[in-house]
């Protein structure tokens, strides 16, 4: 069975600092990987996804994630965060459309 | 990507009653999924609903408590039956779009049971 582990439940950082949110998955077959973001009192939004091809994927707001098959990881990074990046971030794994399995989430708190 | 209309957006219900949540998709989809997000928690898959067959429930969820209907390829309902305060959560539906290689989520139903 697939599972997702987000290694940090809370990550506090200062504005303009770099950040990495860690995600590891377990699966015996090829998977698709996703990061979703949930801003306070809002719905779930897709941040980025890895389906195939280049192992480095980027979002439009400066986040990137790298698929590492040997380490079964899909860590999310941003070189310089903003206050507006404060949100809950969820890593999720999917086996070709069978349903998303979510990690427990990481709360990113950005302060000035 | 598909657009999902989910209703109601929120409700406050008395314990012992039932609430039916509806999801309407603007295109035909084979699989629809129902999730629960308890306060401060991640999303947990309740069941997968395919048109024309019984829904497949995840461990810890049963049809008597969460009956699901899937009458066609654009619509599904989830009923939360005989509610208790522990059922207070956000319930979300989701669809998979092979063309986009990803999932779309409804805006969620925030349920409070008193």
């Amino acid at each position: 069975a697939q599972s997702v582990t987000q290694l940090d439940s809370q990550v506090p950082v200062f504005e303009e600092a770099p950040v990495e949110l860690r995600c590891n998955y377990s699966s015996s077959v090829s998977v698709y990987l996703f990061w979703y973001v949930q801003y306070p009192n809002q719905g779930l939004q897709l941040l980025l996804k890895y389906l195939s091809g280049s192992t480095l994927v980027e979002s439009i707001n400066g986040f990137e994630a790298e698929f590492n098959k040997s380490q079964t990881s899909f860590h999310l990074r941003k070189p310089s965060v903003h206050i507006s990046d404060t949100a809950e971030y969820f890593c999720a794994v999917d086996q070709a459309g069978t349903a998303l399995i979510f990690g427990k989430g990481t709360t990113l708190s950005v302060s000035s | 990507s598909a657009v999902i209309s989910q209703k109601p957006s929120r409700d406050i219900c008395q314990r012992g009653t039932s609430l039916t949540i509806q999801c309407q998709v603007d295109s035909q989809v084979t699989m629809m999924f129902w999730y629960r997000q308890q306060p401060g928690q991640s999303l947990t898959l309740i069941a997968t609903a395919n048109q024309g067959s019984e829904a497949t429930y995840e461990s810890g969820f049963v049809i008597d408590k969460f009956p699901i209907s899937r009458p066609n390829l654009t619509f599904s309902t989830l009923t939360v039956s005989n509610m208790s305060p522990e059922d207070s959560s956000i319930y979300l539906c989701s669809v998979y779009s092979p063309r986009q290689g990803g999932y779309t989520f409804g805006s969620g139903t925030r349920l409070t049971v008193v």
Side-chain angles (χ1 to χ4, degrees):
Chain A
Q2 301 167 75
S3 67
V4 178
T5 302
Q6 291 185 243
L7 297 159
D8 308 292
S9 59
Q10 298 192 32
V11 175
V13 295
F14 287 107
E15 195 172 21
E16 298 183 7
V19 71
E20 178 180 78
L21 307 184
R22 296 179 293 169
C23 172
N24 285 91
Y25 69 93
S26 66
S27 176
S28 59
V29 297
S30 297
V31 295
Y32 301 152
L33 295 158
F34 302 80
W35 276 99
Y36 283 83
V37 59
Q38 188 173 39
Y39 297 103
N41 297 314
Q42 294 191 28
L44 211 58
Q45 299 176 33
L46 177 66
L47 191 58
L48 46 76
K49 61 186 178 184
Y50 170 78
L51 304 180
S52 63
S54 173
T55 57
L56 184 66
V57 290
E58 299 176 351
S59 71
I60 58 173
N61 56 356
F63 282 93
E64 65 179 30
E66 186 162 18
F67 169 60
N68 188 318
K69 187 175 182 179
S70 63
Q71 298 186 5
T72 60
S73 68
F74 191 56
H75 301 332
L76 182 70
R77 301 184 182 96
K78 189 170 185 180
S80 177
V81 294
H82 302 289
I83 298 279
S84 59
D85 292 323
T86 294
E88 189 79 13
Y89 291 81
F90 295 99
C91 182
V93 63
D94 166 43
Q95 187 179 316
T98 58
L100 280 179
I101 305 301
F102 286 84
K104 292 187 180 298
T106 297
T107 302
L108 175 63
S109 300
V110 183
S111 56
S112 57
Chain B
S1 59
V3 176
I4 303 175
S5 174
Q6 183 172 345
K7 295 189 291 188
S9 59
R10 60 178 62 230
D11 207 342
I12 301 173
C13 300
Q14 297 290 325
R15 65 178 67 198
T17 63
S18 298
L19 176 71
T20 296
I21 302 167
Q22 301 180 3
C23 274
Q24 178 76 51
V25 190
D26 68 344
S27 58
Q28 294 184 336
V29 293
T30 302
M31 302 172 77
M32 291 183 73
F33 308 94
W34 288 96
Y35 288 86
R36 179 177 72 182
Q37 186 178 22
Q38 294 176 299
Q41 307 276 331
S42 183
L43 282 79
T44 301
L45 181 66
I46 297 172
T48 302
N50 291 332
Q51 191 266 338
S53 63
E54 292 282 337
T56 302
Y57 289 82
E58 298 298 307
S59 176
F61 297 95
V62 295
I63 188 171
D64 289 346
K65 176 66 176 177
F66 298 101
I68 289 171
S69 78
R70 184 81 202 276
N72 58 53
L73 291 173
T74 63
F75 187 78
S76 179
T77 67
L78 169 77
T79 298
V80 186
S81 303
N82 188 25
M83 289 183 286
S84 66
E86 291 71 36
D87 294 320
S88 297
S89 296
I90 298 173
Y91 294 84
L92 301 101
C93 62
S94 176
V95 300
Y96 176 69
S97 175
R99 194 169 295 180
Q100 277 83 36
Y103 294 79
T104 303
F105 285 83
S107 54
T109 296
R110 185 180 295 271
L111 170 63
T112 303
V113 183
V114 298

